[in-house]
RNA sequence: GCCCGGGUGGCGAAAUGGUAGACGCGGAGGCCUUAAAAGCCUCUGGCCGUAAGGCCAUGCGGGUUCGAUACCCGCCCCGGGCACCA
């Protein structure tokens, strides 16, 4: 098997020195523009997109490096497979994060951000990413945010951007409005401060108009299941009905109260109504004798912060004194207000069915309201006060529900809605949890919203020819408590002639949400160097939608949902001809350190620069990918990194030692062709850790007992390793005399005939228990295998009687059942 | 409470329903060396046994199957998302 050991002279083999190799190839790639994609050429365009980073002052985080490396491997692999790969990078540099940091260190963001970007660029270069630097962008570039404002105008012109006074989430520390997505457990996701409610005039995008489509399209997307689920939950569709309840009133001013319910079948059990305290009809229906207690309750709940309101499950409320008619029973039911009903969801009003809803039951018990059971399980007909489980059972049937008695829950719902439609009023609807997207930020560091207010003309959009509305330099950009953006203090900028009538007018002083910047950057990349358009039509048609997008799941409901929304709007405007921006998305996992989360306070943050200095970028890249399954993340352990470095050392010496004569040996070549097949399959499905393991196995065979390899055995090895460790691959490729890049050398082809084993070790079981293996030819028949197994004493001793049954799986095993 | 992931040696992990633990780290022993480092070789889940070999073992309890880490039912634990959403 192994040929005689040939001693080698170590002094003749130059050792592997990562830093010089990596510097050499980084310089060469840069000088030759090796990674600049000719976007007009190539017949197999492949757009590999990585989530652009926020350029923090701390520099590249190991999590960024993990994500980028995972993208880069996929991109390089696709290039080797013959695709024209476009892999751009940029910086998500606007936003509160940057601005807060600038305030903290007392440096203006316009000075700070370029500095941070410069540092990121340096770090990205030294990790050896195959990035097309000619299309680099930053959301803070004038040439970029001009088009972010243009996107706003597209939404505005389509009636999808509107302004309203609304209760918004206000962070008293960041002194700005937050979107619902930026509020986590009632706290600001950025600084952790408890969020307050405020009433402000805000710009919103009508993403709710797209809720059904955003939900439906999810089905067809090749995305990580976890991401699709997160979006599905966030959009939160519930099917049900809106039912009208006529308010009984002395006069004729009575309005209908419309409730949303997912259980119209339980309407006969609705014994009272509850409105959210902020519900607009509360004033009109409240009876004079109840006014004081209602107002007191409303004042109390308005003051209560979101956390208290959402964590306390205690049921509180106040009676309005009014009643409404249950359209099913015709009986009057009292109308209450309570903060367990949320104004933001549904119609802000519910019909309470205490017999079959836990919350209603608690409330009814607290305030001694009647409880009528209208659903009974198949097994019982009792009148236990609460049975939530029964109400949702398939076999459950209606009781106390007039002509609908005896119907199952699912049969009754549509029938009752149809019946009520002719009475009080009813319609089937799907209700969404998703809210409109508030994009106004009372801050400085963002693209000004391109709107002008004129006393004569009203709200006037800035004409496209006047874009961008430049963000002026404001020395003191610290926000205050007023809820008005610092831009309002810049008089020269703030006062502007109306574009329509020329009269004195004022600019909108809010800037837009950072998530608007990132909701379209993938469209910009191919056209990043174009001044005249946001995105070139032909380039967009050729390169989009994005072929492969890999990023963190923390953006599952923010960035990824907004990007889909903006793309749909542009599609409807006829500006792009696809409605989903990312054909394939994979969420990668998180890196932890020695079993614990990485954090500054723990002091266990991995500094990429340090590790690259110590081990080389190729080792760090490969190690990160070897830690565990890419889509699950991994545990960064300092001790383990040496194993990957050892691999690169062995590949290095294998190539330098390789003999040029001869064609290689059959067992080695067989392993090689098996490895080629496995590595290709594994990279394609992002199973990087097993791909690297396969390369290691091959090197173990190649170098067993210090064996001297043949050139034909090492050449494809370099190509297999190249996506992971690009610098050493280029260097070794050159060592073998190649003059072109290994990344333009193609991907080796696995020869199935060479990869096939002639003989196999067939597992033999007796009664399902493993009893040994027999070495047989690859295409052994069942009979021959059985005979061979029975001839084996170690196996025959377990086969005491005639076999009852013999299970034979060709190539795998033989199971003799006694 | 609901919805996604997970749970396998000392550790990171691998395994289209078919020999559980590939690969790597760590550990033990050996070769080389004056010595060390590096490199190379062998061993390395647990228990019993001198050995041959046997038994146990993929969070727990059942089930399906010739055969289950994988599929089904019922639980427990960890990570993440949603949550007074009617």
């Amino acid at each position: 098997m192994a040929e005689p050991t040939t001693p080698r002279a170590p002094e003749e083999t130059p050792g592997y020195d990562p830093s010089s190799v990596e510097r050499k190839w980084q310089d060469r790639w840069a000088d030759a523009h090796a990674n600049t994609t000719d976007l007009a050429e190539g017949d197999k365009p492949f757009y590999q997109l990585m989530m652009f980073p926020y350029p923090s002052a701390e520099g590249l985080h190991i999590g960024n490096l993990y994500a980028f490396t995972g993208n880069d491997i996929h991109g390089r692999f696709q290039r080797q497979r013959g695709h024209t790969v476009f892999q751009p990078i940029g910086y998500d540099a606007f936003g509160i994060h940057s601005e807060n940091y600038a305030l903290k260190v007392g440096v203006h963001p316009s000075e700070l951000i370029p500095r941070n970007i410069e540092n990121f660029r340096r770090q990205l270069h030294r990790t050896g990413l195959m990035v097309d630097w000619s299309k680099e962008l930053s959301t803070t570039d004038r040439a970029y945010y001009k088009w972010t404002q243009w996107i706003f105008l597209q939404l505005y012109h389509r009636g999808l951007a509107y302004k309203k006074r609304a209760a918004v989430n206000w962070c008293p520390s960041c002194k700005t409005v937050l979107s619902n997505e930026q509020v986590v457990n009632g706290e600001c996701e950025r600084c952790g401060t408890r969020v307050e409610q405020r009433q402000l005039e805000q710009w919103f995008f009508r993403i709710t108009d797209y809720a059904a489509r955003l939900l439906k399209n999810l089905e067809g997307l090749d995305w990580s299941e976890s991401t699709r689920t997160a979006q599905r939950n966030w959009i939160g569709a519930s099917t049900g009905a809106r039912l009208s309840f006529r308010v009984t009133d002395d006069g004729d001013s009575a309005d209908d109260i419309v409730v949303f319910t997912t259980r119209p079948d339980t309407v006969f059990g609705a014994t009272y109504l509850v409105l959210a305290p902020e519900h607009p009809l509360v004033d009109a229906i409240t009876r004079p004798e109840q006014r004081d207690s209602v107002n007191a309750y409303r004042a109390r709940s308005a003051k209560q912060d979101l956390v208290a309101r959402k964590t306390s499950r205690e049921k509180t409320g106040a009676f309005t004194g009014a009643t409404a008619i249950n359209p099913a029973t015709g009986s009057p039911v009292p109308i209450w207000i309570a903060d367990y009903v949320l104004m933001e969801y549904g119609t802000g009003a519910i019909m309470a069915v205490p017999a079959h809803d836990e919350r209603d039951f608690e409330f009814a018990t607290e305030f001694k309201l009647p409880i009528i059971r209208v659903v009974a399980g198949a097994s019982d007909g009792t009148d236990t006060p609460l049975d939530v489980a029964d109400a949702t059972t398939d076999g459950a049937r209606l009781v106390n529900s007039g002509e609908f008695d005896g119907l199952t829950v699912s049969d009754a719902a549509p029938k009752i809605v149809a019946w009520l439609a002719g009475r009080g009023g009813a319609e089937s609807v799907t209700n969404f949890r998703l809210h409109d997207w508030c994009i106004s930020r009372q801050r400085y560091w963002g693209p000004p919203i391109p709107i002008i207010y004129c006393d004569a003309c009203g709200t006037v959009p800035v004409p496209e020819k006047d874009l961008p509305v430049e963000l002026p330099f404001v020395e003191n950009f610290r926000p205050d408590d007023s809820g008005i953006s610092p831009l309002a203090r810049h008089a020269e900028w703030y006062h502007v002639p109306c574009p329509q009538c020329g009269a004195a007018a004022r600019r909108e002083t809010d800037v837009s949400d950072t998530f608007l910047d990132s909701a379209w950057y993938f469209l910009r990349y191919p056209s990043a160097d174009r001044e005249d358009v946001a995105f070139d039509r032909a380039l967009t048609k050729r390169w989009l939608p994005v072929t492969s997008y890999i990023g963190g799941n923390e953006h599952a409901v923010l960035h990824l949902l907004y990007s889909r929304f903006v793309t749909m709007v542009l599609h409807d405007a006829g500006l792009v001809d696809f409605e989903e921006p990312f054909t394939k998305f994979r969420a990668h996992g998180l890196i932890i350190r020695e079993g614990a989360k990485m954090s500054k306070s723990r002091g266990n943050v991995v500094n990429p620069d340090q590790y690259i200095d110590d081990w080389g970028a190729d080792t760090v890249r490969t190690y990160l990918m070897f830690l565990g399954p890419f889509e699950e993340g991994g545990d960064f352990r300092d001790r383990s990194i040496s194993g990957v470095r050892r691999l690169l050392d062995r590949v290095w010496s294998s190539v330098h030692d390789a003999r040029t004569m001869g064609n290689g040996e059959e067992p080695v070549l067989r392993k090689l062709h098996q490895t080629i097949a496995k590595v290709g399959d594994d990279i394609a499905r992002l199973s990087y850790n097993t791909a690297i393991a396969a390369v290691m196995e091959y090197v173990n065979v190649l170098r067993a007992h210090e064996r001297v390899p043949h050139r034909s055995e090492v050449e494809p090895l370099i190509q297999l390793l190249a996506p992971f460790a690009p610098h050493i691959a280029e260097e070794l490729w050159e060592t073998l005399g190649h003059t072109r890049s290994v990344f333009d050398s193609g991907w080796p082809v696995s020869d199935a005939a060479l990869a096939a084993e002639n003989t196999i070790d067939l597992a033999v079981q007796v009664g399902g228990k493993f009893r040994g293996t027999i070495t047989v030819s690859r295409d052994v028949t069942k009979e021959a295998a059985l005979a061979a197994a029975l001839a084996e004493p170690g196996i025959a001793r377990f086969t005491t009687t005639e076999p009852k049954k013999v299970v034979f799986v060709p190539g795998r095993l033989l199971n003799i059942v006694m």
Side-chain angles (χ1 to χ4, degrees), chain A residues 263 355-356 373-384 386-400 406-409:
Chain A
R263 299 297 308 276
H356 303 294
R373 186 179 174 121
V374 290
V375 179
S379 52
D380 63 25
T382 62
D383 46 15
T384 41
L386 170 70
D387 202 332
V388 177
D390 250 8
T392 55
T393 312
D394 277 346
R397 282 170 195 281
L398 266 57
V399 295
N400 297 325
L407 287 178
T408 63
V409 162

Side-chain angles (χ1 to χ4, degrees), chain A residues 148-303:
Chain A
T148 304
Q149 292 169 338
W150 177 84
I151 299 264
F152 174 92
L153 292 180
Q154 302 311 305
L155 277 112
Y156 181 83
H157 292 314
R158 297 187 66 75
L160 293 168
Y162 67 99
K163 202 171 191 191
K164 74 170 180 194
R165 190 172 178 80
V168 290
N169 306 298
W170 174 263
C171 173
S173 166
C174 298
K175 301 195 193 305
T176 190
V177 163
L178 302 174
S179 69
N180 286 322
E181 288 84 343
Q182 287 161 337
V183 180
V184 178
N185 290 327
E187 292 172 358
C188 173
E189 79 163 353
R190 217 159 267 305
C191 64
T193 310
R194 194 166 273 201
V195 169
E196 296 172 354
Q197 277 192 70
R198 266 205 183 187
Q199 296 286 328
L200 285 177
E201 288 266 311
Q202 309 287 338
W203 281 97
F204 286 84
F205 282 165
R206 272 186 224 283
I207 191 172
T208 51
D209 279 9
Y210 285 73
R213 235 162 114 193
L214 287 166
L215 186 67
K216 183 166 160 282
N217 280 13
L218 277 178
E219 302 312 314
L221 291 179
D222 179 10
W223 281 26
S224 292
E225 188 50 42
S226 58
T227 314
R228 295 200 306 169
T229 306
Q231 291 213 351
R232 216 174 281 128
N233 290 344
W234 190 259
I235 297 167
S238 335
T239 55
R242 282 198 188 139
L243 308 181
S244 293
F245 285 65
R246 165 73 28 107
V247 177
T248 53
D249 195 84
D250 306 326
D252 53 5
S253 63
D255 285 283
D256 279 1
I257 288 178
V258 179
V259 303
F260 173 74
T261 178
T262 55
R263 299 297 308 276
D265 50 292
T266 62
V267 65
F268 284 86
T271 52
Y272 61 101
L273 300 185
V274 187
L275 306 188
E278 319 88 286
H279 196 287
L281 286 178
V282 173
D283 264 337
I285 62 168
T286 300
R287 299 297 175 100
E289 66 275 16
Q290 295 297 326
R291 197 158 294 280
D292 287 350
S293 69
V294 163
N295 285 344
Y297 185 77
R298 294 179 91 186
R300 188 156 65 93
S301 72
K303 223 171 56 194

